[in-house]
Amino acid sequence: MTRTPLIAGNWKMNTNLAEAEQLAAATARAAADLLDRDVMIAPPFTAIAQVADLLHDSRVILAAQNICWAEKGAFTGEISPPMLKELGVSMAIVGHSERRHIFGESDALINRRVTGAMEHQLVPVLCIGETLDERESERTKAVLEKQLRAGLVEITVNDPAALVLAYEPVWAIGTGKTAAPAEAQEIHAFIRKLLAAMFEKDIASQIRILYGGSVVPDNIDALMGQEDVDGALVGGAALKAESFERIIHFNG
Ligand code: 13P
């Protein structure tokens, strides 16, 4: 059983065109020698076309930060799977905590996004994670189970590469607080157990589960040393070429 590590940079609502091009080019150079792992970046929609050109012939996978389920029509403000595919996008972040908590996206809506992505052979990176309040009231596992099951309602996975999960505790995002590696491992093992109850065991054992939340050069090696941590979803540290280079070159 092998799970190819995946290090993903989520640029969120950052970078103008010139900054995006510079960062994408630097990331492509930094990833050129990394044959044993995958590297993904999710620029803002406004920079995707330019970044796609720069990533052509590179090892870096291009992702969107969100995705609609419909192919076209009256969905103001949304971007469809065919629109993204036309630009060379192959993955899409779905259900990020900022979408859930700032923009009120529900599990049911997120499930439609996951379904739409998969129907178009785009790989969703489904994010789940508990808030500080939920953690302090010991509801972490219940919250994660609900988000996972509801996000994956009526989803069939025949190919473990067709779906990626990201555990992003909300209290760790942009705060400088990271889950301790052992704690991340415990939660990732719990998520994998849930996956095994939902899908075939062989499939569940091969689906990649990323950790996200204040991942930086100083903690990536310890996180990647954990058995069920298959990669990272990196925010702030993916916006600086040197720190993202160090992160994708993790030893773990
Ligand atoms: P930070 O790495 O800035 O904490 O953000 C994590 C995140 O939300 C990635 O999607």
Side-chain angles (χ1 to χ4, degrees), residues 128 139-150 152 163 165 167 186-201 203-205 207 209 228:
I128 59 175
R139 282 181 287 150
T140 296
K141 287 185 176 168
V143 167
L144 296 177
E145 178 161 3
K146 177 179 165 289
Q147 291 178 345
L148 189 72
R149 289 189 184 277
L152 296 175
L163 173 69
L165 293 174
Y167 168 54
E186 189 201 333
I187 297 293
H188 282 225
F190 170 71
I191 294 169
R192 199 174 301 288
K193 217 172 80 189
L194 292 174
L195 290 173
M198 298 167 68
F199 304 118
E200 283 191 22
K201 221 163 157 245
I203 299 278
S205 68
I207 291 176
I209 307 173
D228 288 288

Side-chain angles (χ1 to χ4, degrees), residues 10 12 93 96-98 127 168 172-176 212-215 233-237:
N10 174 11
K12 308 190 179 183
I93 298 170
H96 191 278
S97 72
E98 288 143 21
C127 303
E168 293 207 312
I173 297 178
T175 58
S214 296
V215 173
L233 184 52
V234 186

